[in-house]
């Protein structure tokens, strides 16, 4: 019967080194190949020392030949591997090392296979996050990783509570919290926290400013974005790809096209996100020709390959300008020229373009041919085109599809009733109203939002 020597109190089903009856060591199949050989070499010397988790940490001489577990934690590609690294850290005493423990936490909480619950089992539950298991006290690395993890999993309340309680806040931890708000579309809180950061005399770095500019883009705070730009110029900060793209995006989304264009063309290096921000900004603010010309420039230069966001921007520009021919060409060549399978967003743009150009039947057929399931948004786009052009026949079919997806949607009843009224089909108007009464459908009160 095999005996598991290295096991974690949390990773219950995980083993790292197994001693078989014949006396041979066997490393777990889940461990990275780079870890297996060092474990085999050291496992016999560690057996007596690692007999129990409660044993004192091994001597520095013994650990000096052991794998650099904190670095290996960063390279793990699955939770199985991370749990084994955790087991090894416990049994070798490395879990008492704040840096190694924080690397393990970050790997568990921020990897592609995010498992925040497991990470919290390592270091304590949310209500106990000030003191970690095994006597570890919260240090800067661990606190920063925990705030990032909460932000990634939308646990912003826990993130802010930890942020407020942490006594020694430097630029890194302020930036992490600001970024967490910006990434979760809480732009108001991001901007407010940034102002507190500056008031407290903490110097923001490039990552902080990029997050604030993103929040300004979301919230439409052009003046605040300009102040950040002035701050960058006064401090002599280099406008690299990340900061430059954030500036272009902020100006473009706020309709400051002149400033966005100036920033865009002043950048020595751009990535595809930079081009996307400029193309989408031009398209959204009535500069369709300029957006399409910029896209053509991108294609001709061949330094960067357009992605799906780029093509959404181009198709949106075609919608605003009514460029049906060019829109069709771009949409139909997406897979062949750029290797991009059209997504629902691309279909929505194309349906909108066809509807604006009076190709209602073609738009309906396109929706029905989609590999993606049609939603209320894309059918609603076609319904608006039907209403503007008075095509009741297609509108009736569209209304049926919308009601199939959303039976309580009163808006389609009202829209169809208005179309009947404009054509003098009063019997149909009465029928629609009766259906609304029987279904107890009432028109939702309108509301608006004003950002003071």
């Amino acid at each position: 019967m095999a005996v598991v020597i290295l096991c974690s109190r949390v990773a219950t089903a995980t083993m790292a080194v197994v001693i078989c009856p014949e006396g041979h060591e066997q490393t777990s199949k889940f461990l990275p190949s780079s870890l297996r050989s060092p474990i085999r070499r050291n496992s016999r010397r560690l057996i007596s020392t690692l007999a129990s988790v409660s044993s004192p940490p091994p001597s520095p001489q013994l650990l000096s030949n052991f794998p650099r577990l904190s670095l290996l934690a960063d390279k793990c590609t699955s939770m199985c591997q991370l749990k084994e690294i955790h087991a090894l850290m416990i049994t070798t005493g490395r879990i008492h090392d704040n840096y190694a423990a924080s690397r393990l936490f970050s790997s568990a909480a921020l990897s592609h296979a995010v498992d925040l619950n497991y990470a919290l089992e390592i270091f304590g539950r949310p209500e106990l996050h000030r003191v970690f298991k095994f006597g570890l006290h919260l240090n800067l690395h661990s606190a920063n990783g925990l705030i990032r993890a909460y932000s990634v999993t939308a646990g912003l309340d826990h993130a802010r509570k930890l942020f407020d309680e942490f006594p020694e806040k430097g630029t890194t931890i302020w930036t992490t919290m600001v970024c967490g708000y910006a990434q979760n579309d809480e732009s108001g809180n991001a901007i407010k926290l940034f102002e507190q950061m500056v008031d407290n005399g903490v110097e923001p770095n490039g990552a902080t400013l990029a997050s604030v500019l993103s929040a300004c883009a979301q919230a439409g705070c052009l003046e605040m974005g300009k102040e950040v730009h002035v701050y960058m110029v006064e401090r002599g900060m280099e406008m690299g790809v990340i900061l430059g793209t954030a500036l272009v995006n902020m100006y473009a989304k706020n309709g400051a096209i002149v400033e966005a264009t100036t920033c865009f063309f002043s950048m020595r290096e751009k990535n595809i996100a930079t081009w996307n921000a400029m193309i989408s900004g031009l398209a959204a603010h009535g500069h369709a020709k300029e957006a399409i010309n910029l896209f053509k420039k991108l294609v001709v230069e061949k330094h960067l390959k357009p992605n799906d966001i780029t093509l959404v921007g181009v198709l949106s520009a075609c919608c605003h300008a009514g460029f049906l021919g060019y829109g069709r060409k771009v949409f139909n060549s997406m897979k062949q020229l750029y290797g991009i399978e059209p997504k629902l967003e691309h279909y929505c743009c194309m349906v909108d373009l066809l509807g604006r150009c009076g190709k209602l039947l073609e738009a309906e057929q396109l929706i029905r041919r989609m590999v993606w399931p049609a939603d209320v948004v894309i059918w609603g786009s076609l319904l608006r085109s039907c209403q503007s052009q008075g095509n009741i026949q297609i509108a009736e079919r569209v209304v049926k599809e919308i009601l199939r997806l959303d039976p309580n949607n009163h808006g389609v009843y009202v829209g169809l009733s208005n179309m009947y009224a404009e054509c003098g089909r009063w019997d149909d108007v009465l029928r629609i109203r009766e259906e609304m009464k029987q279904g107890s459908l009432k028109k939702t009160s309108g509301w608006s939002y004003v950002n003071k």
Side-chain angles (χ1 to χ4, degrees):
M1 179 179 178
V3 179
V4 178
I5 297 298
L6 305 184
C7 62
S8 166
R9 292 161 62 185
V10 177
T12 53
T14 303
M15 60 181 177
V17 178
V18 178
I19 306 301
C20 299
E22 296 79 13
H24 301 296
E25 302 98 316
Q26 177 183 342
T27 51
S28 170
K29 63 181 180 178
F30 296 114
L31 286 170
S33 58
S34 60
L35 180 58
R36 292 174 186 167
S37 296
I39 288 177
R40 291 192 185 99
R41 289 197 300 269
N42 294 302
S43 60
R44 284 187 180 279
R45 291 196 293 154
L46 287 169
I47 289 174
S48 59
T49 307
L50 309 179
S52 68
V53 175
S54 60
S55 300
S59 66
Q61 293 80 9
L62 186 59
L63 287 177
S64 63
N65 295 323
F66 208 77
R68 301 173 70 180
L69 298 179
S70 58
L71 298 180
L72 288 169
D74 292 338
K75 298 179 180 179
C76 289
T77 58
S78 69
M79 286 306 301
C80 290
Q81 293 175 356
L82 281 169
K83 288 177 181 179
E84 292 182 5
I85 298 294
H86 182 198
L88 288 168
M89 284 185 177
I90 292 173
T91 53
T92 60
R94 290 295 303 281
I95 199 66
H96 296 275
D97 178 344
N98 276 313
Y99 176 75
S102 67
R103 296 314 308 150
L104 176 65
F105 171 82
S106 296
S107 298
L110 302 172
S111 64
H112 293 296
V114 174
D115 194 339
L116 183 57
N117 288 330
Y118 184 83
L120 291 174
E121 286 294 335
I122 300 172
F123 293 113
R125 303 306 303 173
E127 62 272 17
L128 301 174
H129 55 226
R130 286 190 57 80
V131 181
F132 289 166
K133 288 187 176 181
F134 310 108
L136 280 176
H137 290 279
L138 199 62
N139 64 3
L140 177 61
H141 293 294
S142 304
N144 193 54
L146 190 53
I147 291 172
R148 285 181 62 202
Y150 281 134
S151 300
V152 168
T153 55
L156 286 176
D157 290 340
H158 287 310
R160 184 57 189 262
K161 182 179 180 182
L162 175 57
F163 172 84
D164 289 337
E165 291 178 358
F166 195 74
E168 301 173 2
K169 290 189 270 288
T171 300
T172 301
I173 204 165
W174 279 93
T175 299
T176 301
M177 193 67 245
V178 171
C179 183
Y181 278 132
Q183 289 178 341
N184 286 278
D185 297 327
E186 294 199 16
S187 52
N189 285 328
I191 294 171
K192 187 182 298 183
L193 188 63
F194 171 73
E195 291 173 339
Q196 292 176 13
M197 176 182 180
V198 174
D199 290 341
N200 287 350
V202 181
E203 187 82 10
N205 57 23
T208 320
L209 299 179
S211 297
V212 174
L213 288 170
S214 175
C216 291
Q218 295 169 14
C221 296
L222 178 59
E223 292 306 315
M224 182 67 182
K226 286 182 176 180
E227 290 180 15
V228 172
H229 191 183
V230 170
Y231 179 90
M232 291 168 54
V233 173
E234 290 177 347
R235 295 296 190 279
M237 300 182 70
E238 183 180 356
M239 192 169 68
V241 175
I242 295 176
L243 268 179
T245 301
L247 270 175
V248 171
N249 182 58
M250 186 277 297
Y251 280 126
K253 284 193 174 177
N254 281 288
I257 299 301
V258 174
E259 291 86 347
T261 304
T262 302
C263 289
F264 178 84
F265 285 108
S266 68
M267 292 175 63
R268 285 180 285 183
E269 184 182 356
K270 308 176 186 69
N271 61 16
I272 193 60
T274 318
W275 289 83
N276 290 346
M278 194 68 245
I279 291 171
S280 299
L282 288 168
H285 292 92
H287 301 275
K289 290 183 179 180
E290 291 84 351
I292 292 171
N293 288 335
L294 192 60
F295 171 69
K296 290 178 179 178
K297 180 179 174 65
L298 170 64
V299 172
V300 169
E301 289 186 359
K302 296 183 179 179
H303 296 308
L304 295 168
K305 188 177 181 180
N307 60 18
D308 55 339
I309 298 174
T310 319
L311 298 177
V312 168
V314 175
L315 290 173
S316 177
C318 293
C319 285
H320 291 303
F323 294 154
L324 179 58
Y326 190 74
R328 268 203 188 114
K329 180 182 176 181
V330 170
F331 182 82
N332 293 331
S333 63
M334 284 178 58
K335 190 171 183 180
Q336 181 182 356
L337 292 182
Y338 311 113
I340 299 172
E341 193 74 40
K343 297 179 181 176
L344 191 59
E345 293 85 355
H346 303 103
Y347 279 101
C348 281
C349 288
M350 199 61 205
V351 167
D352 191 18
L353 176 57
L354 290 168
R356 290 177 185 232
C357 295
K359 307 292 183 180
L360 299 178
L361 182 59
E362 184 179 347
E364 181 188 8
Q365 292 170 345
L366 180 64
I367 295 175
R368 297 189 186 281
R369 289 199 308 267
M370 289 194 315
V371 294
W372 307 93
D375 60 8
V376 172
V377 174
I378 195 168
W379 284 117
S381 175
L382 180 55
L383 181 60
R384 285 192 297 273
S385 297
C386 291
Q387 290 171 332
S388 65
Q389 298 178 41
N391 192 320
I392 293 180
Q393 185 178 10
I394 295 179
E396 289 174 333
R397 296 198 295 268
V398 171
V399 166
K400 288 181 181 179
E401 295 293 341
I402 293 176
L403 292 176
R404 182 176 60 82
L405 296 169
D406 183 8
N408 295 320
N409 191 320
H410 71 274
V412 294
Y413 283 105
V414 174
L416 189 58
S417 176
N418 291 339
M419 291 180 71
Y420 286 142
E422 290 176 3
C423 297
R425 294 172 55 173
W426 300 109
D427 291 341
D428 289 315
V429 172
L430 294 174
R431 175 177 59 81
I432 292 292
R433 289 181 179 176
E434 187 61 30
E435 289 179 7
M436 292 179 68
K437 288 180 181 179
Q438 290 178 358
S440 299
L441 294 172
K442 296 181 180 179
K443 187 174 181 179
T444 304
S445 300
W447 63 277
S448 61
Y449 172 76
V450 177
N451 184 18
K452 295 182 180 180

